[in-house]
Amino acid sequence: MPRPILATIHLPALQHNLQRCRRAGGSARVWAVLKANAYGHGIERVFDALRAADGLALLDLGEAERLRALGWRGPILLLEGAFEPRDLETCSRLQLWHVVHRSEQIDWLAAHKCETPQRVFLKMNSGMNRLGLRPEAFRAAYTRLSHLPQVEEISLMTHFSDADGQRAGQMGVQHQLEAFVRASHDLPGERSLCNSAALLRHGLALRLGSGPEAQPLAADWTRPGIALYGSSPDFPTHSAAHWALEPAMTLASQLIAVQELAAGETVGYGSTYTAPGAMRIGIVACGYADGYPRHAPGHNAHGGPVLVRGVRTRLVGRVSMDMLAVDLGPVEAQLGPCHAGDEVTLWGRSRCGALLPIDEVAHAAGTLGYELMCALAARVPVAVEPLP
Ligand SMILES: *Cc1c(COP(=O)(O)O)cnc(C)c1O
């Protein structure tokens, strides 16, 4: 028998979350963000659920190739644009739309020989200081692009650094929204600003400008990523349940041993957990080599959350490469003795339907749902829950 660990990708949840994001943007079209191999879920696996999006966004040309191989004929947007001039040939061959975020990319376009002109998203650095042209250079870049025969249509975009919270006592998007509108309000073209956090928190409530005809923040295209996969973009302020998002990934395993501890005995490497009294612990076939976070706490009474047979309990001791240990006390108090072979849910949905949000596991370990999904290890077998 193979090791009893399994990740399950829930296509009905992905489909639900996409609809949820679509509603949050009103009439905006949706770029489903599938970068990083669909946030660790697998592009080929999620495709059937996310093909209802208006476009698919990612940044690796190899991943764009995989989408075309799956038969996707709709728009694909390269979020980091071309990395070198010959990437534009791939854009022409695969009909990719691409982000222009620095002036060299305009030089490459000007030198590019293509039969059909390309669609570009000109990106403004409105304050995140990662990618994009500064507001004062934006208009000149726009004008240059608009004179190129290689360019069919220019859309405008920017990306928020603090959409999940506040900044200097204001909504986190405020300063960048103002910078974007100030520098671009009179330029023609479609607009795209919102990641998951901006979309769910402000998509229809905030506007690009003040007039009655001003567009909502969701604008023409939204760009949700994490929300599609059922993780809350602003946890712990709001949970996935608050946003009506469903977990798209379950990581499940089993107990492979049960140990009886006497008071004063310790658990695992470094003996970081000491039993305060007699207790039973379960050993789970899941460790950091499966993508479980090694920094999840297990040294005190507030260990990271785990479900055993659908009942919530906690880690004890350090997570090791292939195993971790859990307190069986709360489980046995409810359901009676546990045995090797019993179901363990590391995150997602247990067989009985109990939920353990990936955000809670991540938070306990000092990280984000994003990182845990993307870190699911290649050695973990993956099943797919199909669409109905
Ligand atoms: C990753 C990414 C997104 C999606 O962000 P989420 O926080 O996952 O919703 C949107 N836009 C750009 C430019 C990105 O790089």
Side-chain angles (χ1 to χ4, degrees):
M1 170 180 173
R3 254 175 108 231
I5 188 166
L6 181 69
T8 304
I9 307 303
H10 306 289
L11 298 193
L14 286 160
Q15 193 176 54
H16 164 90
N17 296 337
L18 174 59
Q19 282 166 2
R20 175 73 189 82
C21 288
R22 191 182 280 293
R23 278 202 310 278
S27 59
R29 276 160 291 159
V30 181
W31 289 112
V33 179
L34 266 72
K35 65 192 179 190
N37 198 24
Y39 288 47
H41 293 63
I43 286 181
E44 287 76 9
R45 291 188 199 104
V46 303
F47 180 64
D48 266 347
L50 297 184
R51 65 191 305 167
D54 301 289
L56 305 175
L58 38 69
L59 35 87
D60 185 275
L61 284 92
E63 291 185 337
E65 190 109 42
R66 282 160 61 193
L67 284 175
R68 290 295 184 227
L70 285 165
W72 174 253
R73 288 163 171 237
I76 297 178
L77 177 63
L78 294 179
L79 290 167
E80 293 181 353
F83 299 101
E84 56 170 342
R86 63 170 190 183
D87 291 346
L88 294 177
E89 291 162 26
T90 311
C91 290
S92 285
R93 179 168 58 84
L94 299 177
Q95 292 192 333
L96 309 180
W97 304 13
H98 52 100
V99 168
V100 168
H101 63 82
R102 63 185 170 111
S103 54
E104 287 89 336
Q105 291 172 320
I106 307 180
D107 303 337
W108 302 343
L109 262 170
H112 177 58
K113 295 186 177 52
C114 55
E115 283 165 17
T116 9
Q118 302 187 342
R119 298 246 348 207
V120 300
F121 274 58
L122 184 61
K123 182 164 188 176
M124 187 189 299
N125 169 16
S126 56
M128 180 154 185
N129 290 312
R130 204 172 60 172
L131 295 185
L133 292 128
R134 297 186 69 88
E136 58 274 20
F138 196 75
R139 184 170 301 268
Y142 185 99
T143 306
R144 238 190 111 200
L145 273 176
S146 65
H147 289 115
L148 294 183
Q150 290 88 345
V151 174
E152 182 196 4
E153 196 175 325
I154 310 169
S155 303
L156 317 183
M157 74 181 274
T158 195
H159 191 60
F160 295 118
S161 57
D162 296 80
D164 57 338
Q166 306 232 317
R167 185 176 183 274
Q170 286 187 319
M171 278 176 293
V173 297
Q174 201 65 45
H175 65 297
Q176 287 183 263
L177 174 56
E178 281 162 19
F180 180 78
V181 171
R182 205 179 308 124
S184 69
H185 62 94
D186 57 343
L187 296 176
E190 296 184 336
R191 276 135 170 93
S192 176
L193 297 89
C194 290
N195 59 1
S196 300
L199 171 63
L200 293 177
R201 291 168 64 98
H202 311 296
L204 298 179
L206 294 183
R207 292 188 169 262
L208 300 185
S210 49
E213 74 298 351
Q215 266 186 313
L217 194 71
D220 300 290
W221 290 92
T222 62
R223 305 190 306 270
I226 195 71
L228 298 175
Y229 305 97
S231 169
S232 169
D234 63 350
F235 190 85
T237 307
H238 297 111
S239 66
H242 170 89
W243 294 121
L245 300 169
E246 295 175 4
M249 182 192 288
T250 291
L251 180 62
S253 183
Q254 292 179 4
L255 299 183
I256 56 170
V258 172
Q259 300 293 342
E260 320 238 354
L261 306 185
E265 290 190 322
T266 61
V267 179
Y269 287 122
S271 299
T272 58
Y273 180 81
T274 304
M279 67 186 287
R280 283 160 57 83
I281 62 167
I283 308 303
V284 181
C286 177
Y288 60 78
D290 299 300
Y292 194 88
R294 199 185 80 88
H295 293 288
H299 58 284
N300 60 20
H302 310 290
V306 181
L307 303 181
V308 176
R309 299 158 75 193
V311 176
R312 196 173 169 116
T313 180
R314 61 180 175 124
L315 294 183
V316 289
R318 274 194 194 141
V319 173
S320 51
M321 183 184 283
D322 311 303
M323 285 175 271
L324 53 81
V326 295
D327 179 7
L328 295 180
V331 187
E332 296 190 322
Q334 268 192 48
L335 302 178
C338 290
H339 307 280
D342 283 349
E343 179 199 22
V344 177
T345 309
L346 287 317
W347 58 71
R349 188 182 295 273
S350 77
R351 278 202 295 266
C352 70
L355 289 186
L356 178 55
I358 195 169
D359 297 321
E360 292 187 31
V361 180
H363 192 67
T367 181
L368 303 172
Y370 293 79
E371 195 181 21
L372 298 193
M373 297 174 178
C374 292
L376 183 74
R379 79 173 187 183
V380 177
V382 182
V384 175
E385 181 198 342
L387 293 173

